[in-house]
Amino acid sequence: MQGPRPVVLSGPSGAGKSTLLKKLLQEYKNVFGFSVSHTTRKPRPGEVNGKDYHFVSREEMQKEIDAGEFIEHAEFSGNMYGTSKGAVQAIQAQNQICVLDIDIQGVKNIKRTELNPIYISVQPPSIDVLEKRLRDRQTETEESLRKRLTAACVDLELSKEPGLFDLVIINDDLEKAYSELKEILLEVSPAFRGSCLSPSLRVTGAQFCSSSPCRKSRRPKNPASPELSLLGRFNFAHHSWSAPRHFIPRDIPSSLIPFQSYSRIFLLKENKTWSRLCLC
Ligand SMILES: Nc1nc2c(ncn2[C@@H]2O[C@H](COP(=O)(O)OP(=O)(O)O)[C@@H](O)[C@H]2O)c(=O)[nH]1
Ligand SMILES: Nc1ncnc2c1ncn2[C@@H]1O[C@H](COP(=O)(O)OP(=O)(O)O)[C@@H](O)[C@H]1O
């Protein structure tokens, strides 16, 4: 699989995955792409075939699974769900960060593949709150609500397995949970961090790059801005960073210190604030 590292959001039904994802996809339209799963469950009012899910029959889905077209699939609450290879490839072909919303069985199955995503668990503050949210959502029958609550208890127990998730978000206050999600992604996804730089910074960087040959590891003679500094260089041969410390002014926040996915890191100071500009 190519492209930026995908992101998996998992957690009990009703925990708030779709709500958080919608906000993320809305705020960062061309940065993230949603992996549209297949399911045999019936569409809910407002759900669009091909956008929310590919709604298919059990026979159709089984046929495609047998043909090896799925990365993973699972049975949840009496229906089949699965991620097709095509769903992920469609996002990666656009160089977007692919986001998957899958259950805990899917997480375990994806771990056996080479997809290598970042695993985030979204959890409710309590089972009682989860039940209330699911009831208020008005999408479930009493029977499917019961099944989801039972599955939620299993999910919350299994998700305690050390190392299964990279991070857990407790979705109590929505805005707080969303901020946490963005912070986590900024921390762990170089592709997201790169996309958060303002276009003006990127343009400055491009001009800067053209006037400064990529092979040179010293500070360029004529930087586009006197406040633009080369922070570090990744040595692909030794897989190590060289960050000449004397280039780093004291007021740079530690969150801007080099990350191993870039060959060069520049910093730009604008309005007294440091921004990182990453160039490969
Ligand atoms: N394994 C797996 N789980 C999926 C997939 N798509 C959705 N799910 C999970 O299936 C569960 C039920 O999804 P859904 O019926 O949309 O209900 P909701 O999560 O309560 O909105 C959720 O936990 C989803 O994360 C998939 O492709 N694979
Ligand atoms: N932090 C929150 N506080 C209150 N309600 C929330 C919160 N997050 C989500 N919800 C609501 O809870 C319900 C379940 O959220 P949803 O995103 O559909 O969960 P999931 O996709 O994990 O099944 C939705 O009606 C949603 O509007």
Side-chain angles (χ1 to χ4, degrees):
M1 297 274 178
Q2 297 165 342
R5 199 173 169 200
V7 175
V8 160
L9 280 199
S10 192
S13 161
K17 302 177 296 293
S18 320
T19 308
L20 288 167
L21 260 175
K22 260 183 207 133
K23 281 170 84 69
L24 192 72
L25 293 166
Q26 224 160 48
E27 188 172 350
Y28 302 98
K29 272 193 194 75
N30 299 314
V31 177
F32 294 95
F34 180 56
S35 158
V36 181
S37 295
H38 283 57
T39 183
T40 61
R41 89 150 158 72
K42 296 279 164 283
R44 293 173 187 151
E47 281 185 330
V48 178
N49 190 22
K51 185 169 174 271
D52 298 288
Y53 278 108
H54 298 289
F55 295 100
V56 289
S57 68
R58 198 166 265 273
E59 293 69 35
E60 273 177 276
M61 188 149 167
Q62 192 57 55
K63 215 165 111 191
E64 290 186 29
I65 291 169
D66 293 344
E69 288 171 20
F70 278 73
I71 299 173
E72 63 80 34
H73 61 92
E75 189 86 20
F76 180 90
S77 188
N79 286 298
M80 285 167 87
Y81 294 82
T83 310
S84 71
K85 291 177 182 169
V88 174
Q89 279 162 1
I91 307 297
Q92 295 192 319
Q94 299 183 61
N95 208 31
Q96 293 178 336
I97 304 171
C98 181
V99 192
L100 296 87
D101 172 346
I102 57 173
D103 80 331
I104 200 151
Q105 304 168 76
V107 167
K108 294 201 170 201
N109 289 332
I110 293 269
K111 292 238 168 187
R112 296 189 202 108
T113 72
E114 293 188 349
L115 197 66
N116 188 32
I118 296 150
Y119 295 95
I120 300 173
S121 171
V122 180
Q123 301 186 359
S126 70
I127 286 287
D128 290 347
V129 169
L130 186 73
E131 178 169 354
K132 180 171 184 320
R133 284 186 191 164
L134 279 174
R135 284 191 187 283
D136 290 350
R137 195 173 72 180
Q138 299 186 330
T139 51
E140 308 309 314
T141 61
E142 194 57 34
E143 189 200 350
S144 80
L145 190 119
R146 287 285 138 221
K147 280 187 185 163
R148 275 158 205 268
L149 289 176
T150 307
C153 294
V154 175
D155 184 302
L156 292 174
E157 210 40 53
L158 291 180
S159 63
K160 289 179 188 157
E161 183 184 319
L164 191 59
F165 288 99
D166 297 309
L167 294 141
V168 175
I169 295 174
I170 307 292
N171 177 20
D172 192 349
D173 175 83
L174 182 61
E175 288 312 316
K176 214 168 134 239
Y178 182 56
S179 295
E180 234 174 277
L181 174 64
K182 287 197 289 185
E183 265 171 42
I184 287 166
L185 291 173
L186 273 174
E187 190 65 33
V188 297
S189 171
F192 182 48
R193 258 199 321 274
S195 75
C196 286
L197 293 165
S198 72
S200 67
L201 286 184
R202 273 181 248 151
V203 171
T204 311
Q207 289 161 352
F208 182 50
C209 185
S210 62
S211 68
S212 140
C214 291
R215 293 242 145 61
K216 289 191 180 169
S217 62
R218 62 188 167 74
R219 186 174 186 161
K221 277 180 193 152
N222 299 310
S225 150
E227 297 279 32
L228 193 60
S229 311
L230 174 62
L231 179 57
R233 174 178 297 279
F234 186 59
N235 182 329
F236 286 98
H238 299 103
H239 283 260
S240 64
W241 264 102
S242 62
R245 288 279 151 177
H246 56 277
F247 284 174
I248 306 176
R250 287 186 197 287
D251 60 334
I252 296 179
S254 61
S255 59
L256 293 182
I257 301 301
F259 215 80
Q260 296 211 342
S261 307
Y262 301 101
S263 64
R264 295 184 309 156
I265 304 239
F266 293 92
L267 291 173
L268 182 66
K269 198 170 195 179
E270 260 189 350
N271 302 327
K272 296 190 179 162
T273 306
W274 284 102
S275 306
R276 181 166 46 191
L277 169 64
C278 308
L279 297 173
C280 294

